[in-house]
Amino acid sequence: MGRDVSQGAFTRDDRVRYRQKVRRCLDVFALMLDDFGFDADRPMTGLEIELNLVDSAAEPAMRNEEILADIADPLFQTELGQFNLELNAEPRLIEGAGFAEYEHDLRGSLSRADERAARSDAKIVLVGILPTLTEGHLVEDNLSTNERYRVLNDQIVGARGEDIELDIRGVEQLRTHTDSIAPEAACTSLQFHLQVAPDSFADYWNASQAIAGVQVAVGANSPFLYGRQLWAETRIALFQQATDTRPDELKAQGVRPRVWFGERWITSIFDLFEENVRYFPPLLPICEDEDPVEVLHAGGVPQLGELRLHNGTVYRWNRPVYDIMNGRPHLRVENRVLPAGPTVVDMLANAAFYFGLARGLAESDRPIWSQLTFSSAEENFHAAARRGLDAVLHWPGLGEVPVTKLVLEQLLPTAAVGLDGFGVAPAQRDRLLGIIEQRCRTGRNGAVWQTEAVWAAERRHGMDRKDALHHMVQRYAELQRTNNPVHTWPVP
């Protein structure tokens, strides 16, 4: 939810009016999909990176407001926690040297931000969950001061009507509860945007769902929370539980969670927006002045503000996006499954793998979603989040297969074909996909490096878990700044 909100209390009339307006927007959207000219000639891409701020002792630094003011760059924004920032890269084509341009710009932006953060005794760490976070850090008082986060917190907690339970069982186990959505701030992600035409949106979304588990396995970077080693990508479980509006009774009745993988392959982007309206009550019933029917009949481009706001409070791992740029509407798949980090080049390798693989599968003669059940795709997603590069996934024609074997033998060649379709320079393609290949061959991604570094600190150097985590984060931050891919990082 990227827009500012100042209203904190909503009436019954607000909710009725908003529901009616959302349905009106949905009707207009259906008409637009039939005959409107969406921008899809040359598909743009985008990246969003959520960041952590730490102090000199590797503790979370609750200083995003002052650091953001010092950065003074509109590409940087606040995020949920006071120790978070978000960097939005300039959208661009990835043909030719597009990935090299991303890398140059991202490294430059992060370097300048780090310089400003240092003035506040802080530095930036790119990681899925900051390992030094404790329950004492993730409390309502440490939410960012922007009012929209407070309103969202009140609405989610109010809808649930009781404390939010966290129960994550992995290598170790975490069971606790919270009276706010502050633990969600621990989930710092890397999000990819891919512009697609209306008639091909379903293919790209279905492909993105099918490969979500593979993405998570290869890119996992969140093994620790509250001092415990849990899943390879603990962020998946934490995000779902920390924003869950359902008490146990509604879960038992099959009410869908706000953080949602989905439940079926789709035939149109309309399916997803219609599900949003059908299954999810509004969290932020704020109405705009626009009448989308009048705008459409007058030949304009409707903003569909209520439909977009509602969509922003349903946290799909692959989210549909309707947006307007330079007066023309367009559609995007927003891929939200991956954690931030470890380095800029690692994140761009993840991006190349996603963009290439999504296109390669979406344009294949025999769609993967015609061979893979949706339930298998969801099971793959959670298996990958738990075990990372050690995951065994189900894949058509192979049955149960180690994810590294699947990537090396089948998916990397498909991703290469997809990148060629985008016109990516061969040197860029081979460099970035080569990083994914080496992660699979070495068995080392960010989650593996983190756990090995903590084990080494505990077993070789006699540190307790708390000291080992702080030591690891300090070393992680140093290696991150080299921009060497994580599979090459040494373990002390």
Side-chain angles (χ1 to χ4, degrees):
M1 187 192 72
R3 54 176 291 174
D4 288 337
V5 174
S6 59
Q7 184 171 349
F10 301 106
T11 66
R12 293 179 180 179
D13 287 344
D14 289 334
R15 296 185 183 279
V16 170
R17 186 164 53 250
Y18 181 82
R19 182 175 284 108
Q20 292 171 343
K21 191 73 178 291
V22 168
R23 293 187 180 278
R24 190 171 178 84
C25 287
L26 187 64
D27 292 341
V28 169
F29 186 55
L31 295 173
M32 294 177 69
L33 290 174
D34 284 339
D35 59 10
F36 210 89
F38 285 83
D39 186 6
D41 300 333
R42 303 182 72 197
M44 299 289 283
T45 67
L47 275 73
E48 298 177 49
I49 309 170
E50 295 170 353
L51 317 171
N52 290 280
L53 298 168
V54 300
D55 62 20
S56 57
E59 289 281 307
M62 307 293 175
R63 299 165 198 160
N64 67 353
E65 190 169 11
E66 63 184 89
I67 291 170
L68 195 63
D70 203 7
I71 293 173
D73 183 340
L75 296 180
F76 286 86
Q77 301 176 3
T78 58
E79 252 299 330
L80 182 60
Q82 292 183 31
F83 61 95
N84 300 142
L85 292 175
E86 180 177 277
L87 169 59
N88 294 282
E90 291 280 1
R92 69 196 66 207
L93 301 170
I94 55 173
E95 66 182 23
F99 281 112
E101 294 166 3
Y102 264 133
E103 185 171 5
H104 177 269
D105 289 355
L106 289 172
R107 293 191 70 188
S109 293
L110 288 168
S111 177
R112 290 189 294 273
D114 237 354
E115 291 174 5
R116 302 298 193 278
R119 300 175 186 174
S120 299
D121 187 31
K123 57 188 173 185
I124 291 170
V125 175
L126 305 168
V127 65
I129 293 177
L130 182 62
T132 53
L133 284 167
T134 66
E135 292 187 66
H137 295 127
L138 295 176
V139 295
E140 186 175 353
D141 285 348
N142 287 335
L143 294 178
S144 291
T145 57
N146 190 311
E147 186 61 24
R148 74 174 186 256
Y149 301 119
R150 308 284 172 167
V151 174
L152 188 63
N153 175 77
D154 291 346
Q155 294 303 304
I156 290 177
V157 174
R160 185 180 176 93
E162 58 189 46
D163 281 359
I164 296 170
E165 300 292 331
L166 302 180
D167 185 356
I168 306 174
R169 306 178 191 197
V171 177
E172 298 168 348
Q173 181 176 348
L174 172 67
R175 293 196 68 183
T176 186
H177 60 87
T178 174
D179 61 1
S180 76
I181 64 169
E184 182 194 338
C187 303
T188 40
S189 65
L190 168 65
Q191 298 164 22
F192 304 135
H193 292 256
L194 179 59
Q195 184 178 329
V196 294
D199 59 359
S200 61
F201 184 93
D203 292 344
Y204 275 87
W205 188 85
N206 289 341
S208 298
Q209 290 287 100
I211 62 175
V214 177
Q215 286 184 269
V216 168
V218 172
N221 195 30
S222 311
F224 294 102
L225 175 64
Y226 295 167
R228 294 173 175 83
Q229 183 186 346
L230 300 170
W231 294 8
E233 189 50 40
T234 305
R235 194 182 109 266
I236 300 300
L238 177 60
F239 189 40
Q240 179 164 336
Q241 294 182 23
T243 56
D244 200 341
T245 58
R246 306 168 303 162
D248 290 343
E249 295 80 4
L250 293 185
K251 294 178 189 177
Q253 294 171 33
V255 172
R256 286 120 179 125
R258 303 284 312 196
V259 177
W260 197 32
F261 188 81
E263 59 191 17
R264 62 183 174 123
W265 305 120
I266 65 169
T267 59
S268 165
I269 186 174
F270 185 81
D271 295 347
L272 301 176
F273 281 99
E274 193 274 335
E275 283 180 347
N276 289 352
V277 174
R278 178 155 39 106
Y279 293 145
F280 298 99
L283 284 179
L284 301 169
I286 302 169
C287 287
E288 307 285 354
D289 293 334
E290 175 191 77
D291 184 332
V293 175
E294 291 183 1
V295 173
L296 184 65
H297 287 167
V301 180
Q303 295 290 324
L304 306 183
E306 293 81 5
L307 191 70
R308 293 161 73 186
L309 177 60
H310 188 53
N311 184 52
T313 63
V314 180
Y315 305 102
R316 295 177 183 272
W317 294 109
N318 285 292
R319 176 186 278 164
V321 176
Y322 166 85
D323 207 350
I324 302 168
M325 183 173 292
N326 299 323
R328 290 193 67 187
H330 68 263
L331 306 177
R332 303 194 304 267
V333 178
E334 181 186 10
N335 178 256
R336 303 160 48 83
V337 305
L338 286 174
T343 65
V344 169
V345 75
D346 278 307
M347 292 188 292
L348 290 176
N350 291 337
F353 188 52
Y354 168 68
F355 290 136
L357 191 52
R359 180 163 185 160
L361 292 176
E363 298 184 356
S364 64
D365 292 335
R366 188 179 179 196
I368 186 65
W369 53 96
S370 71
Q371 309 167 62
L372 182 71
T373 66
F374 195 90
S375 60
S376 292
E378 184 172 13
E379 289 166 8
N380 284 346
F381 180 63
H382 291 288
R386 287 185 175 91
R387 298 189 55 80
L389 285 172
D390 290 330
V392 174
L393 307 184
H394 180 80
W395 201 256
L398 298 175
E400 303 300 310
V401 59
V403 68
T404 51
K405 177 181 174 70
L406 174 63
V407 171
L408 291 170
E409 296 184 2
Q410 287 208 10
L411 300 186
L412 279 174
T414 302
V417 170
L419 292 178
D420 290 343
F422 282 114
V424 174
Q428 292 291 311
R429 175 200 67 202
D430 295 344
R431 177 193 180 216
L432 295 175
L433 293 186
I435 291 171
I436 303 298
E437 177 185 359
Q438 289 305 308
R439 280 191 216 155
C440 292
R441 294 198 185 282
T442 61
R444 179 170 293 181
N445 56 16
V448 172
W449 186 89
Q450 287 190 55
T451 54
E452 287 183 351
V454 168
W455 292 344
E458 290 176 336
R459 296 170 187 176
R460 296 180 197 167
H461 306 295
M463 297 184 188
D464 62 19
R465 177 61 62 83
K466 179 180 178 181
D467 289 343
L469 288 169
H470 283 75
H471 176 77
M472 181 269 285
V473 172
Q474 296 280 27
R475 182 62 174 147
Y476 181 104
E478 294 169 2
L479 291 167
Q480 173 191 293
R481 281 155 179 77
T482 68
N483 201 39
N484 295 326
V486 70
H487 72 266
T488 68
W489 289 8
V491 175

